[in-house]
């Protein structure tokens, strides 16, 4: 008889099996695995991602202070390693980790005009046009409409895509192609929805390098709250009792607080390659936050008035 050789599972896979288990029997194994992974962190992209997500899960549901602090230490060590990958320009690893939302990786996607403007303004050195699906003729017609006639030769010479044509027209200005292009579209004397349509027709893909210390999937965590340790996970709730509990008063928020909450919501969805209108068109005046029990916070996002539906309230959370 020839028995099949069992595949040895990695330390990251072992951690995944127990990362959300509670009780004394899982506490020590989790500590041991974290210590081993600190000594010998994973190097394969799939295992790096798995290890990363296990750490986030364990930070969300820590079962003890010592384990919580070791998890934080492990995550910080992983962030340093991810920065090293980016600094060494390890193309293979960088390509494999792109789209994951991990610190120092990159997100490439097609976004709305509003989100493109937000990315360019908030992260001017980390956002640029990756590519465009607009054909050369569409690019020529676009620039004919937004630039003065004196640029006629540069607009119509050659068969250039959007990026190459923009570089030719932009000249030596230091701003990114994305910023330069958005500026010209935003200055058009047309309604906002027309600007959005013009931008949409260019079929632009934006590359956002996640170099910011906070705005990435690794570090987009709520801060300033006490840590609650979970000796067990409560999986069942008596809905009628919860629904009948009085809601606490909303938290007082400054304008800076509200802007930060909008930024968190937008960045969270971008890291998932998604958008939703209450975040994209969020009105800071319509942000309400409630701090509930055991570290749970609910934030309601209302849209700007001109974006609302006539009857329905479209509230994000």
């Amino acid at each position: 008889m020839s028995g099949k050789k069992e595949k040895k599972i990695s330390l990251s896979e072992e951690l995944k099996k127990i990362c959300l288990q509670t009780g004394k029997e899982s506490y020590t194994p989790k500590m041991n695995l974290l210590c081993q992974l600190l000594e010998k962190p994973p190097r394969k992209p799939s295992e790096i991602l798995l290890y990363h997500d296990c750490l986030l899960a364990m930070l969300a549901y820590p079962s003890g202070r010592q384990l919580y602090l070791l998890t934080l230490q492990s995550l910080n060590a992983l962030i340093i390693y991810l920065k090293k990958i980016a600094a060494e320009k390890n193309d293979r690893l960088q390509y494999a980790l792109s789209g994951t939302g991990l610190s120092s990786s990159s997100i490439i996607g097609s976004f709305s005009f509003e989100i493109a403007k937000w990315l360019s303004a908030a992260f001017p050195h980390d956002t640029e046009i990756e590519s465009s699906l607009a054909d050369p003729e569409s690019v020529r017609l676009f620039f004919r409409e937004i630039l003065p006639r004196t640029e006629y030769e540069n607009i119509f010479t050659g068969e250039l895509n959007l990026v190459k044509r923009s570089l030719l027209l932009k000249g030596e200005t230091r701003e990114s192609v994305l910023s330069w292009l958005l500026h010209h579209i935003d200055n058009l004397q047309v309604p906002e929805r027309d600007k959005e349509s013009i931008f949409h027709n260019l079929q632009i893909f934006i590359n956002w390098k996640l170099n910011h210390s906070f705005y990435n999937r690794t570090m987009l965590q709520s801060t300033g709250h006490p840590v609650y340790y979970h000796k067990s996970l409560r999986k069942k709730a008596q809905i009628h009792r919860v629904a009948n509990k009085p809601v606490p008063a909303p938290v007082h928020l400054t304008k800076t607080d509200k802007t930060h909450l909008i930024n968190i919501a937008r960045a969270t969805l971008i890291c998932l390659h998604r958008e939703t209108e209450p975040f994209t068109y969020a009105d800071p005046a319509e942000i309400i936050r409630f701090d509930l029990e055991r570290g749970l916070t609910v934030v309601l996002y209302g849209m700007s008035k001109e974006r609302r539906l006539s009857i329905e309230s479209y509230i994000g959370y």
Side-chain angles (χ1 to χ4, degrees), residues 200-270:
H200 176 74
N201 288 337
L202 291 172
Q203 301 179 75
I204 290 171
F205 288 82
I206 295 171
N207 186 337
W208 178 23
K209 294 180 180 177
L210 302 175
N211 295 328
H212 194 278
S213 59
F214 182 80
Y215 291 103
N216 51 69
R217 198 164 67 83
T218 306
M219 293 306 297
L220 266 173
Q221 302 160 35
S222 182
T223 55
H225 297 286
V227 178
Y228 290 89
Y229 299 109
H230 299 260
K231 301 299 181 187
S232 63
L233 294 181
R234 300 175 187 175
K235 297 184 179 180
K236 293 184 180 179
Q238 293 177 305
I239 300 299
H240 66 281
R241 288 184 62 185
V242 176
N244 290 326
K245 270 189 175 182
V247 178
V251 176
H252 172 71
L253 298 171
T254 65
K255 187 176 180 181
T256 301
D257 293 333
K258 293 178 179 183
T259 301
H260 181 59
L261 287 170
I262 292 172
N263 291 347
I264 286 175
R266 288 174 172 176
T268 299
L269 281 198
I270 290 173

Side-chain angles (χ1 to χ4, degrees), residues 99-299:
T100 62
L102 269 63
S103 174
S104 300
S105 67
S106 62
I107 295 284
I108 298 173
S110 179
F111 307 110
S112 67
F113 183 53
E114 189 70 22
I115 290 298
K117 287 194 294 180
W118 173 71
L119 283 169
S120 182
F123 313 99
H125 305 296
D126 294 326
T127 49
E128 185 52 287
I129 296 177
E130 171 73 17
S131 61
S132 164
L133 297 180
D135 60 79
E137 181 60 23
S138 299
V139 171
R140 280 195 288 263
L141 294 174
F142 162 70
F143 281 119
R144 187 186 71 178
E145 295 301 318
I146 72 165
L147 294 180
R149 293 177 66 87
T150 52
E151 293 285 359
Y152 183 89
E153 186 177 345
N154 285 334
I155 289 171
F156 284 91
T157 302
E159 295 292 307
L160 303 179
N161 62 28
L162 179 67
V163 175
K164 289 181 179 178
R165 183 74 68 189
S166 298
L167 286 169
L168 177 66
L169 291 163
K170 185 173 78 74
E172 299 299 320
T173 57
R174 290 186 178 183
E175 62 185 330
S176 67
V177 170
L178 177 63
S179 175
W180 177 82
L181 198 63
L182 292 171
H183 170 76
H184 281 288
I185 296 175
D186 214 20
N187 279 349
L188 291 172
Q189 299 303 306
V190 297
E192 197 66 24
R193 291 187 184 274
D194 290 343
K195 296 177 187 178
E196 291 170 357
S197 180
I198 290 166
F199 179 79
H200 176 74
N201 288 337
L202 291 172
Q203 301 179 75
I204 290 171
F205 288 82
I206 295 171
N207 186 337
W208 178 23
K209 294 180 180 177
L210 302 175
N211 295 328
H212 194 278
S213 59
F214 182 80
Y215 291 103
N216 51 69
R217 198 164 67 83
T218 306
M219 293 306 297
L220 266 173
Q221 302 160 35
S222 182
T223 55
H225 297 286
V227 178
Y228 290 89
Y229 299 109
H230 299 260
K231 301 299 181 187
S232 63
L233 294 181
R234 300 175 187 175
K235 297 184 179 180
K236 293 184 180 179
Q238 293 177 305
I239 300 299
H240 66 281
R241 288 184 62 185
V242 176
N244 290 326
K245 270 189 175 182
V247 178
V251 176
H252 172 71
L253 298 171
T254 65
K255 187 176 180 181
T256 301
D257 293 333
K258 293 178 179 183
T259 301
H260 181 59
L261 287 170
I262 292 172
N263 291 347
I264 286 175
R266 288 174 172 176
T268 299
L269 281 198
I270 290 173
C271 285
L272 299 172
H273 296 271
R274 291 186 59 205
E275 271 190 64
T276 187
E277 288 184 338
F279 294 169
T280 298
Y281 304 112
D283 181 356
E286 299 289 331
I287 304 295
I288 306 174
R289 170 178 150 181
F290 300 91
D291 285 352
L292 307 179
E293 297 172 345
R294 295 187 63 77
L296 181 65
T297 295
V298 174
V299 182

